Amino acid sequence: AFGEALQKTGIVSYIADNLMAATVDLGKAGVIGSVYALSVVLSMFINNGATVAILGPMVVSIAQKDPTLPLNALAWTLTYGAGSCFTTPLGYQTNLMVMPDGKYKMPDFLRFGIFIQIIHMAFTLGFVMAYLQLWGGPPAKPLD
């Protein structure tokens, strides 16, 4: 419902247009990387399901505006980015659960999580870019 509201108000289109304009010189990798980064930043503070619900319509809008970017590749990027909250305890329940018993503090998650996040980003972007190279453009339309 929230994603639909963002779409109806034009916020999704506004964000998609600005994201694509900012990364136009970087090509597909820039757009995919920015989708990943935006989903990671948002999932630092809210859970991954909410992140996907909020950014999902934006990914659909990007795929509609640029037919060279398949929706499934953008959706994988969004899902992997939203599901990888390594830098804060706020975005994922088990991070909060281990915090008191392990005597972890917020800087501990940032200090150790940033390296894991960078490695995860590299693998995610590498996977999605390899998918685009191997299978090219958008997938075939499903049969009716």
Side-chain angles (χ1 to χ4, degrees):
F2 187 65
E4 187 177 324
L6 290 174
Q7 197 167 12
K8 286 183 179 178
T9 59
I11 293 172
V12 166
S13 183
Y14 176 78
I15 293 172
D17 289 342
N18 285 322
L19 187 115
M20 290 180 69
T23 59
V24 70
D25 293 336
L26 302 173
K28 291 178 185 180
V31 175
I32 291 168
S34 62
V35 167
Y36 181 88
L38 188 58
S39 64
V40 166
V41 168
L42 195 55
S43 73
M44 286 182 190
F45 304 104
I46 62 174
N47 73 14
N48 53 359
T51 299
V52 170
I54 291 169
L55 295 181
M58 180 202 68
V59 166
V60 171
S61 180
I62 290 171
Q64 289 171 344
K65 293 175 189 302
D66 186 353
T68 65
L69 288 167
L71 178 58
N72 57 358
L74 292 170
W76 287 338
T77 304
L78 172 60
T79 304
Y80 292 144
S84 64
C85 182
F86 302 120
T87 53
T88 70
L90 304 175
Y92 201 69
Q93 309 87 296
T94 54
N95 290 358
L96 287 171
M97 289 170 56
V98 300
M99 220 172 146
D101 292 337
K103 297 183 176 89
Y104 296 121
K105 304 215 179 335
M106 187 78 113
D108 295 330
F109 282 89
L110 184 60
R111 183 176 58 212
F112 296 109
I114 193 74
F115 299 111
I116 297 169
Q117 193 73 61
I118 290 169
I119 291 167
H120 185 267
M121 179 185 70
F123 276 109
T124 299
L125 297 182
F127 168 73
V128 172
M129 292 307 293
Y131 168 80
L132 290 174
Q133 288 296 319
L134 293 173
W135 288 284
K141 294 183 179 184
L143 298 173
D144 291 326

